[in-house]
């Protein structure tokens, strides 16, 4: 499925943010984000209508929580 198909119909801003954070958390689970994973996240953010400052904040918050678990 394409990213567009996966997120089709998600209109609630909180759900959009949650979907992005879930994807980022899964990708970040191995401590690094590869180039291909970064492309996927950029496509996901675009399809969810998340702007770069929002994405940066979501990733920073998620990373802080992940790092606190270590």
């Amino acid at each position: 499925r394409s990213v567009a198909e996966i997120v089709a119909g998600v209109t609630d801003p909180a759900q959009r943010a949650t979907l992005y954070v879930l994807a980022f958390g899964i990708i970040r689970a191995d401590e690094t984000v590869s180039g291909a994973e970064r492309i996927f996240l950029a496509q996901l953010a675009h399809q969810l209508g998340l702007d770069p400052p929002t994405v940066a904040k979501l990733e920073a918050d998620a990373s802080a929580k992940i790092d606190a678990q270590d």
Side-chain angles (χ1 to χ4, degrees):
R1 294 182 138 193
S2 70
V3 174
E5 290 174 312
I6 293 168
V7 301
V10 180
T11 57
D12 179 65
Q15 288 179 339
R16 289 177 179 189
T18 298
L19 285 174
Y20 187 87
V21 169
L22 287 172
F24 177 77
I26 292 166
I27 288 171
R28 171 96 180 1
D30 65 358
E31 298 295 323
T32 61
V33 178
S34 72
E37 291 167 332
R38 183 55 61 197
I39 291 168
F40 170 78
L41 288 171
Q43 291 172 345
L44 180 61
H46 175 75
Q47 291 297 324
L48 291 170
L50 300 173
D51 61 28
T54 300
V55 167
K57 179 168 180 8
L58 292 172
E59 288 187 9
D61 291 350
S63 290
K65 288 178 183 176
I66 291 167
D67 293 341
Q69 300 283 323
D70 292 339

